Amino acid sequence: MKRKQETQLIFWIFLCPVLIAFLLVIVIPFFMGVFYSFTNWSSSARAGVSLQCIGLSNFTESFEDPAFLYSFLLTLVYTVLNMIAINLTAFILAIIVTSKLRLRNLYRVGFFIPNLIGGLILGYVWQFIFNNAVPAIGESLPFLSALADPANLILSKRNSALMALVVVGTWQYAGYIMMIYVAALEGVPEELHEAATIDGANTFQRIRLITIPMIAQAFTITMFLTLVQSFKQFDVNVSLTAGGPSAMFMGQPIFGTELLALNIYQTAFTANNLAEGQARAVVFFIVLIIISLAQVSANKRKEIEL
């Protein structure tokens, strides 16, 4: 056997297991899901009811559902807030741990550890903090007595509960994004900062005119990652608020902090409407693809401008 053929054989031997797993776990289920979104598929077996194609009914019913529309809009708001909070926090942390601060490597580990904890656990831990620790602080400190009032519980109101989701999401993910910024910051030549310092530039000017343009590619990556992570947020949403508290939208009661992923889950497995849940997942996929491509394209143009 010629050496070229032997190399190709080894290549396919190593590639095939991964390729087969990818097809079985990702590609085939994806196209099956798209197919089921156009049917009356249900998990319950009913006599005389067979799988039938019903066209776009699942999609039209989804867009007529106020709960779905609300969760869609809420996910967009949450994504914007989460992207800003995570990237701003991660960038500040990266600046701190790349400075000449003592024990900066220890701080890097500490900031990254929350990313290693599962979202479900984080949600329950922070639920305890918001529902028990914060009121306890209010009882101990007179000037924060308002926090001890049950009516002021953070998770009892829609807006504050949404901000709680952003806080927990930031606490979990900022350390991971920080590591990307750290890698980018360490690639910025120190001579540029020294020359700018000699010319009289202060810290803020050096960051704005040297650091940010030099790490523009890192912003493209981190904003894409935080965009996708925010859109897919599910575990923290389930464990921290479970979609509550309730609110009104288009004259109907809905879950005030139910993000899109949780809405799809509730539709499919709680309401036992798998086909409609799948249709919403298809919409979710298409919207996420469009927004992600727009974000990456916008960031790439910005890289050139910087």
Side-chain angles (χ1 to χ4, degrees):
M1 184 179 292
K2 295 181 180 178
R3 184 167 183 79
K4 183 177 180 181
Q5 292 176 327
E6 185 179 344
T7 303
Q8 288 183 341
L9 179 61
I10 294 173
F11 171 78
W12 285 106
I13 288 175
F14 279 95
L15 180 63
C16 278
V18 179
L19 192 60
I20 292 171
F22 180 71
L23 289 172
L24 292 177
V25 178
I26 303 293
V27 178
I28 295 176
F30 172 78
F31 286 105
M32 288 178 65
V34 174
F35 167 73
Y36 282 126
S37 67
F38 294 96
T39 68
N40 62 344
W41 178 43
S42 171
S43 62
S44 59
R46 288 171 291 179
V49 177
S50 60
L51 189 67
Q52 295 178 345
C53 182
I54 57 174
L56 297 174
S57 295
N58 290 322
F59 294 91
T60 55
E61 290 177 8
S62 294
F63 284 108
E64 291 172 355
D65 182 7
F68 177 67
L69 297 176
Y70 176 83
S71 65
F72 209 107
L73 296 174
L74 184 71
T75 302
L76 291 175
V77 173
Y78 170 77
T79 299
V80 172
L81 294 176
N82 213 34
M83 286 178 65
I84 295 172
I86 290 177
N87 282 281
L88 187 61
T89 304
F91 185 71
I92 293 173
L93 293 179
I95 292 288
I96 293 173
V97 299
T98 53
S99 65
K100 297 180 180 179
L101 187 71
R102 291 182 61 188
L103 302 176
R104 56 184 179 277
N105 289 332
L106 183 63
Y107 293 136
R108 291 185 188 185
V109 175
F111 294 144
F112 185 78
I113 283 178
N115 187 62
L116 303 178
I117 305 173
L120 282 174
I121 297 174
L122 281 182
Y124 287 123
V125 169
W126 278 91
Q127 186 188 72
F128 175 82
I129 293 173
F130 288 132
N131 287 342
N132 297 278
V134 172
I137 294 173
E139 292 174 358
S140 304
L141 303 175
F143 65 96
L144 295 176
S145 59
L147 296 175
D149 187 349
N152 293 331
L153 284 176
I154 293 174
L155 299 181
S156 66
K157 297 179 181 178
R158 180 182 58 179
N159 293 338
S160 57
L162 178 63
M163 294 310 299
L165 279 171
V166 174
V167 168
V168 178
T170 303
W171 193 78
Q172 179 189 23
Y173 209 57
Y176 176 75
I177 298 299
M178 174 200 74
M179 298 306 291
I180 298 175
Y181 283 131
V182 167
L185 288 172
E186 290 184 340
V188 178
E190 187 62 27
E191 294 80 7
L192 294 178
H193 287 284
E194 292 174 355
T197 303
I198 294 173
D199 290 338
N202 57 35
T203 302
F204 177 75
Q205 289 172 325
R206 292 199 303 273
I207 291 175
R208 184 171 63 87
L209 299 175
I210 297 175
T211 303
I212 291 179
M214 292 292 290
I215 65 168
Q217 292 182 340
F219 283 109
T220 303
I221 297 170
T222 56
M223 290 186 71
F224 172 76
L225 292 175
T226 51
L227 171 70
V228 174
Q229 190 270 344
S230 301
F231 250 92
K232 295 193 305 180
Q233 184 59 267
F234 175 77
D235 47 7
V236 172
N237 193 192
V238 171
S239 56
L240 184 64
T241 68
S246 61
M248 296 296 292
F249 182 71
M250 297 175 64
Q252 292 193 19
I254 44 91
F255 289 104
T257 61
E258 186 180 70
L259 299 177
L260 197 50
L262 181 57
N263 179 269
I264 292 171
Y265 174 85
Q266 300 284 26
T267 303
F269 299 105
T270 303
N272 197 26
N273 197 341
L274 294 177
E276 188 172 334
Q278 186 58 51
R280 297 183 183 193
V282 171
V283 174
F284 176 94
F285 171 78
I286 294 172
V287 171
L288 184 56
I289 288 290
I290 294 172
I291 294 178
S292 298
L293 290 175
Q295 176 264 316
V296 172
S297 177
N299 274 84
K300 286 291 182 184
R301 286 198 301 271
K302 195 66 177 176
E303 286 178 21
I304 297 173
E305 294 175 8
L306 291 174

